Amino acid sequence: MLRFGRVQLATNLLLAPIAGYCDLAWRLACREQGGVGLACTDLLSPHGLLRGTQESLDLAKTCDADTPVGMQLYGSDPGLMADGARWAVDHGATVIDINMGCPVDKVTKKDGGSKLMCDLGRAVAIAAAVRQALPDAVPLTCKMRLGWDEPAYDAGCAPSLALRLIGVGVAGITVHGRTTEMRFKGQCRHEGIRRVVEAVGEATGHHGSGGIPVIGNGDV
């Protein structure tokens, strides 16, 4: 069984947060089919949540039947991300997820999403600030890619970032097996995901169950 910190999931299958296909109605429809261990909201802007914009509130909407649920935040300011995480917990989040993998221009041009993989120090600072803002019972996870481009992939950007995130208390890592430059083209690179799995297992001493989970994403 899959476990993030103190949160035990019923299955090891997670409903991928695909933009436009992860609103509350869709999540509930998928849960009715059975087998969903965790479902996640669409990308949530801390600015929008804290200002109470209708779009952000709609994306974050949940209910008693929608559990456990992860709320996925994106941004580049540690303090603002921490405030957004507090809001999410107050409004029903079981798990907080930081998106470090979105390749879309409107996200990366604001230094969020996968642009954070170009500044590992900032990425880790955001994770540390969010982790400190959360209650112990609410785990923090992060989603990433294999790096911005081929040189970053070759340099081991994803394994390096994963280890640094675990060092500040992140309880789970999801890896989309593509670089940002690949966007959604080509095949998911399983060997890149494996690099992260092996690095995390080596660092934590857990090469199977009982360690920090690494979830593969792409081409399902």
Side-chain angles (χ1 to χ4, degrees):
M1 295 298 179
L2 191 60
R3 184 182 186 90
F4 295 129
R6 299 184 184 181
V7 175
Q8 176 71 60
L9 304 183
T11 78
N12 65 349
L13 298 178
L14 284 65
L15 183 61
I18 302 172
Y21 291 90
C22 51
D23 60 11
L24 176 59
W26 175 250
R27 298 198 303 271
L28 291 176
C30 291
R31 290 184 190 278
E32 288 174 358
Q33 307 309 308
V36 176
L38 178 73
C40 194
T41 67
D42 205 327
L43 281 173
L44 301 175
S45 163
H47 287 283
L49 296 177
L50 297 170
R51 291 200 307 265
T53 63
Q54 194 58 52
E55 180 181 6
S56 293
L57 295 180
D58 287 344
L59 291 175
K61 190 175 181 181
T62 186
C63 67
D64 291 343
D66 182 38
T67 187
V69 63
M71 291 196 182
Q72 181 188 200
L73 304 176
Y74 77 96
S76 60
D77 180 84
L80 187 59
M81 289 286 281
D83 289 341
R86 293 187 188 95
W87 185 99
V89 171
D90 290 343
H91 290 80
T94 313
V95 176
I96 298 296
D97 185 70
I98 300 175
N99 185 293
M100 301 181 179
C102 180
V104 177
D105 287 347
K106 69 178 182 179
V107 174
T108 60
K109 286 182 177 179
K110 296 179 181 178
D111 295 328
S114 61
K115 188 63 179 292
L116 288 173
M117 300 196 73
C118 297
D119 187 347
L120 301 193
R122 179 183 291 273
V124 175
I126 290 171
V130 172
R131 178 61 268 171
Q132 291 174 10
L134 295 176
D136 291 341
V138 179
L140 173 64
T141 62
C142 293
K143 181 179 180 182
M144 65 177 68
R145 285 188 170 236
L146 299 180
W148 185 267
D149 51 20
E150 284 301 304
Y153 172 72
D154 292 339
C157 177
S160 176
L161 177 57
L163 296 184
R164 293 178 66 177
L165 292 173
I166 290 170
V168 296
V170 170
I173 304 289
T174 300
V175 185
H176 186 135
R178 290 178 172 84
T179 64
T180 299
E181 286 190 342
M182 291 175 70
R183 298 178 74 87
F184 300 99
K185 297 179 180 179
Q187 290 188 324
C188 174
R189 299 164 74 170
H190 294 170
E191 76 280 1
I193 298 173
R194 183 171 61 246
R195 290 184 187 183
V196 179
V197 172
E198 292 175 346
V200 170
E202 185 68 26
T204 61
H206 290 277
H207 295 276
S209 62
I212 302 293
V214 178
I215 294 91
N217 177 235
D219 290 354
V220 174

